Amino acid sequence: LELLTYTGPLFAITITRLAGFLMMQRTAMTLGVTQLAGYQLCVNMLLFFLLFGEPLSQLSQTNLPSLLLPSSSPSSNHKNSKTGLRKTLKSIATLASGTSLAVATVAFLMVR
């Protein structure tokens, strides 16, 4: 039952997002072939970037809150918390930089 309270809102968000994309596609279909192709290109690019951005977002949502909360423990734990925060931020920055470089390279090669 606990899992249902967590997955319920996520399911609703996913279904709403899917319904929105379907309604936009139906509208683009009524506008003609060129507009539908433009819509499909935009959706493909959106999904391409979402696939790389979502894991970074989940990483930051799961790891950073525990590192950012003030601890009521001794100062040595506080130093370890700062070190953990720096390592996590460095990891996220490295992943984000590498991902953006890879996506930019793929986009450049496709356009070229």
Side-chain angles (χ1 to χ4, degrees), residues 84-97:
L85 179 62
R86 284 190 189 121
K87 285 182 181 180
T88 302
L89 289 176
K90 184 178 178 182
S91 173
I92 291 172
T94 303
L95 286 171
S97 299

Side-chain angles (χ1 to χ4, degrees), residues 14-30 36 39-40 43:
T14 303
I15 293 299
T16 304
R17 190 179 294 163
L18 180 63
F21 283 135
L22 287 174
M23 294 304 292
M24 284 188 282
Q25 183 177 10
R26 292 181 83 191
T27 302
M29 288 170 59
T30 62
L36 182 60
Y39 168 79
Q40 187 64 42
V43 167

Side-chain angles (χ1 to χ4, degrees), residues 66-84:
S66 64
L67 293 171
L68 293 175
L69 290 175
S71 62
S72 58
S73 53
S75 62
S76 63
N77 258 352
H78 186 64
K79 288 180 183 177
N80 289 339
S81 176
K82 281 187 175 185
T83 304

Side-chain angles (χ1 to χ4, degrees), residues 18-56:
L18 180 63
F21 283 135
L22 287 174
M23 294 304 292
M24 284 188 282
Q25 183 177 10
R26 292 181 83 191
T27 302
M29 288 170 59
T30 62
L31 298 175
V33 176
T34 305
Q35 288 78 7
L36 182 60
Y39 168 79
Q40 187 64 42
L41 187 69
C42 290
V43 167
N44 286 347
M45 292 297 289
L46 174 74
L47 291 176
F48 181 74
F49 289 113
L50 283 178
L51 289 177
F52 290 109
E54 189 64 28
L56 291 174

